[in-house]
């Protein structure tokens, strides 16, 4: 009984092995068969992806297949006319075929590389719009070439290809198409409003004999003190008392509008400055004690940015923009030299937006109010009459600031299509400058200037200015 069972198991094992062999052979035969040429030992060449197999057919019976580099490919004889080649790792080797008489009847150069068909298929599935991609192999490496529409598409192509091959086996020859030059338009708009009220009576006790009583009207510098005051000096109250009557109302408004534009290549940093530099004296110490050196600091309208074109309608920006001007009121004195301060509006940020779109990257709304009451001790506290012994000051400073940026993809144009600020400027002749009072010569092609009835009105350069 046991012998019968043992024999049955042996028969089943042999049948299973035979079935698996037939299935493997049948599957191999279902693949595309490569027919080996036997024409006087001519060297042929065949490519094979890593991890895949290929059936090679021979018209003559074979007894042996010699592999030059077993690490690159492995060979299994299926029968005397067929053998199976399996790619193991990227590389180049050759196969030598012997017949039943041990004669070399053929030599086959075998190039084992990565599965380029699978890479192309996956790239087409993920990036169907990128039609200009080419995937080839060279010396065991995968070469990606062609043109992609954006830097984001390029990163996606490399990421997908790296899932099949390592970065050391990938050669990137891709070109990014489309507009890769970015022009950045920055607008810095600021409005500053000030209001000053000064109303009251200021008194001052003098230590010595006073001066004659008089009435003096003082008008200051139009920039530093736009209004004046009425002062009464040394009234008959006392020879050592000064009384100043102040009634000032000052209002001012200032507007700053800077629009720097600059063009840079995607991935390259660019900078722009329209302004100047002012010197600052610096005292040296140590062995050079007492020596004075000069350092320069920039001011004006500045712009620095680093654009990155992500796609045909998407741009990433890293930018820093500022507007600065000299401020004498916040300056200082260095070694007897007056050094002005700098009033700066600066912003540094990173944003992402579309071609031609605008973004308000910074804004400021500031309102400063200061109130000061000065009074004569004791007398200023008297109801109603105390107003004659008080001085009231009120200052209000309002600032509104907005910074807007707009990136655009641009390309070069013909030089005749660019208009310059000097194109329409004509220097005046002696007649225009002396007799006509013109700073520019009139355009001879413009003809006489006429004003229609529809253009007449209150708008325009009309009225008087003192």
């Amino acid at each position: 009984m046991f012998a019968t069972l043992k024999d049955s198991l042996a028969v089943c094992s042999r049948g299973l092995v035979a079935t698996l062999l037939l299935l493997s052979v049948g599957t191999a035969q279902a693949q595309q068969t490569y027919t080996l040429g036997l024409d006087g030992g001519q060297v042929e060449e065949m490519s094979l992806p890593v991890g895949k197999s290929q059936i090679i057919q021979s018209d003559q019976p074979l007894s042996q297949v010699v592999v030059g580099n077993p690490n690159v490919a492995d060979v299994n004889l299926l029968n005397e006319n067929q053998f199976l080649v399996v790619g193991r790792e990227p590389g180049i080797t050759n196969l030598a075929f012997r017949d039943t008489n041990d004669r070399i009847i053929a030599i086959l150069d075998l190039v084992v590389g990565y599965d380029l068909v699978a890479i192309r298929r996956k790239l087409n599935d993920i990036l169907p719009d990128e039609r200009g991609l080419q995937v080839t192999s060279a010396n065991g490496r995968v070469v990606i070439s062609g043109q992609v529409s954006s830097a984001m598409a390029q990163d996606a192509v490399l990421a997908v290809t790296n899932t099949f091959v390592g970065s050391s086996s990938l050669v990137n020859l891709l070109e990014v198409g489309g507009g890769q030059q970015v022009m950045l338009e920055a607008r810095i708009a600021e409005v500053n409003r000030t209001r000053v009220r000064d109303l009251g009576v200021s008194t001052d006790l003098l230590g010595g004999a006073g001066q004659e009583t008089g009435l003096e009207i003082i008008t200051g510098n139009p920039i530093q003190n736009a209004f004046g005051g009425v002062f009464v000096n040394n009234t008959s109250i006392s020879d050592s008392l000064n009384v100043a009557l102040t009634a000032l109302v000052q209002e001012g408004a200032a507007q700053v509008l800077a629009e720097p534009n600059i063009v840079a290549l995607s991935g390259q940093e660019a900078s722009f400055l329209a302004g100047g530099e002012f010197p600052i004296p610096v005292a040296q110490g140590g062995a050079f004690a007492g020596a004075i050196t000069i350092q320069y600091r920039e001011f004006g309208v500045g712009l620095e940015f680093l654009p990155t074109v992500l796609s045909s309608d998407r741009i990433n920006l890293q930018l820093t923009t500022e507007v600065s001007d000299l401020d004498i009121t916040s300056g200082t004195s260095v070694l007897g030299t007056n050094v002005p301060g700098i009033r700066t509006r600066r912003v540094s940020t990173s944003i992402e937006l579309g071609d031609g779109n605008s973004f308000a990257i910074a804004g400021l709304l500031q309102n400063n109010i200061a109130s000061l009451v000065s009074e004569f001790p004791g007398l200023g506290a008297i109801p109603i009459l105390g107003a004659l012994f008080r001085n009231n000051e009120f200052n209000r400073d309002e600032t509104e600031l907005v910074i807007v940026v707009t990136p655009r993809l641009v390309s070069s144009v013909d030089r005749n299509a660019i208009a310059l600020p000097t194109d329409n400027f004509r220097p005046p002749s002696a007649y225009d400058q002396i007799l006509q009072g013109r700073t520019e010569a009139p355009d001879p092609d413009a003809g006489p200037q006429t004003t229609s009835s529809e253009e007449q009105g209150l708008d325009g350069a009309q009225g008087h200015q003192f």
Side-chain angles (χ1 to χ4, degrees):
M1 176 180 179
F2 293 101
T4 305
L5 180 59
K6 182 178 180 180
D7 295 339
S8 300
L9 290 175
V11 172
C12 292
S13 300
R14 290 194 297 269
L16 180 60
V17 171
T19 302
L20 293 176
L21 183 58
L22 290 175
L23 288 175
S24 62
V25 173
T27 304
Q29 290 178 349
Q31 299 178 359
Q32 184 178 1
T33 302
Y34 179 86
T35 302
L36 186 64
L38 304 175
D39 49 356
Q42 182 179 358
V43 179
E44 300 183 22
E45 182 175 335
M46 185 183 72
S47 299
L48 185 66
V50 175
K52 291 194 174 183
S53 61
Q54 176 67 53
I55 298 176
I56 298 181
Q57 178 77 28
S58 175
D59 296 336
Q60 298 183 13
L62 301 174
S63 62
Q64 186 182 20
V65 179
V66 181
V67 182
N69 187 355
N71 295 326
V72 175
D74 191 13
V75 177
N76 296 316
L77 284 173
L78 300 179
N79 52 54
E80 60 181 9
N81 295 104
Q82 287 183 338
F83 62 95
L84 186 68
V85 181
V86 180
R88 302 185 61 179
E89 65 179 31
I92 300 175
T93 186
N94 55 10
L95 307 178
F97 304 94
R98 296 179 181 272
D99 59 5
T100 55
N101 297 324
D102 290 337
R103 294 180 306 172
I104 297 178
I105 60 176
I107 296 178
L108 177 64
D109 287 342
L110 181 62
V111 179
V112 178
Y114 294 98
D115 194 350
L116 303 183
V117 176
I119 297 176
R120 295 189 189 103
R121 184 184 301 113
K122 183 58 65 176
L123 290 176
N124 184 66
D125 293 341
I126 297 179
L127 301 169
D129 296 332
E130 302 297 334
R131 301 294 184 182
L133 294 177
Q134 298 178 4
V135 182
T136 57
S137 63
N139 197 19
R141 295 186 178 185
V142 175
V143 180
I144 302 293
S145 59
Q147 188 178 84
V148 292
S149 60
S150 64
M152 292 183 62
Q154 182 184 31
D155 294 339
V157 170
L158 298 179
V160 172
T161 309
N162 281 331
T163 61
F164 292 87
V165 300
S167 57
S168 60
S169 300
L170 178 61
V171 179
N172 178 20
L173 299 180
L174 289 174
E175 296 180 359
V176 180
Q180 296 299 305
Q181 296 183 120
V182 180
M183 181 181 70
L184 181 64
E185 301 176 359
R187 289 180 294 168
I188 305 169
E190 179 186 18
V191 175
N192 182 264
R193 302 180 181 89
T194 58
R195 182 178 179 85
V196 178
R197 292 198 304 266
D198 192 353
L199 178 63
V201 179
S202 298
T203 59
D204 184 18
L205 290 176
L206 302 178
Q211 301 176 356
E212 296 181 358
T213 303
L215 182 64
E216 184 179 4
I217 300 178
I218 302 175
T219 301
N221 188 282
I223 297 177
Q224 298 180 356
N225 188 5
F227 296 88
V230 180
F231 296 91
V232 179
N233 295 326
N234 282 350
T235 64
S236 59
I237 298 177
S238 173
D239 290 340
S240 60
L241 180 65
N242 278 350
V243 179
L245 302 178
T246 306
L248 299 178
V249 177
Q250 178 178 349
E251 294 183 358
Q255 175 185 353
V256 176
L257 178 61
E259 297 187 7
N261 296 341
I262 188 172
V263 179
L265 191 65
S266 176
Q268 301 295 324
E269 185 177 359
S271 60
F272 168 84
L273 175 64
E277 297 180 343
F278 69 96
I280 301 176
V282 179
Q284 302 298 311
F288 302 96
I292 303 297
T293 60
I294 301 297
Q295 295 182 357
Y296 290 88
R297 184 171 178 181
E298 296 178 346
F299 70 96
V301 180
L303 177 63
E304 295 181 358
F305 84 116
L306 175 63
T308 302
V309 179
L310 303 179
S311 63
S312 58
D313 59 351
R314 211 69 186 165
I315 304 172
N316 178 272
L317 294 177
Q318 299 179 16
L319 61 96
T320 299
T321 181
E322 72 171 42
V323 173
S324 58
D325 48 60
L326 301 181
D327 186 4
I328 301 178
T329 60
S330 63
T332 184
S333 178
V334 179
L335 300 176
T337 303
N338 294 326
V339 179
I342 294 184
R343 183 170 176 264
T344 305
R345 285 78 79 198
R346 180 188 299 114
V347 60
S348 180
T349 185
S350 298
I351 58 175
E352 182 178 314
L353 64 170
D355 177 22
N357 294 340
S358 298
F359 212 123
I361 60 174
L364 172 66
L365 179 60
Q366 184 177 3
N367 189 1
N368 297 329
I369 298 177
S371 180
L372 176 64
V373 177
S374 303
E375 63 182 15
F376 192 92
L379 299 180
I382 300 176
I384 302 175
L385 295 179
L388 300 176
F389 304 94
R390 287 196 301 267
N391 185 67
N392 300 284
E393 296 182 9
F394 176 81
N395 296 289
R396 183 170 184 173
D397 189 358
E398 296 180 351
T399 301
E400 297 181 22
L401 173 66
V402 175
I403 300 178
V404 181
V405 294
T406 304
R408 302 181 187 275
L409 294 175
V410 296
S411 58
S412 59
V413 297
D414 186 79
R415 64 184 303 270
N416 297 325
I418 300 177
L420 301 178
T422 57
D423 290 345
N424 297 323
F425 177 80
R426 294 174 177 82
S429 62
Y431 171 80
D432 293 328
Q433 186 175 13
I434 297 175
L435 298 181
Q436 299 294 330
R438 294 171 176 168
T439 58
E440 296 183 26
D443 187 0
D445 299 331
Q449 297 182 356
T450 58
T451 303
S452 62
S453 59
E454 296 180 357
E455 296 178 349
Q456 297 177 357
L458 298 179
D459 296 335
Q462 300 180 14
H464 302 278
Q465 182 177 4
F466 296 94

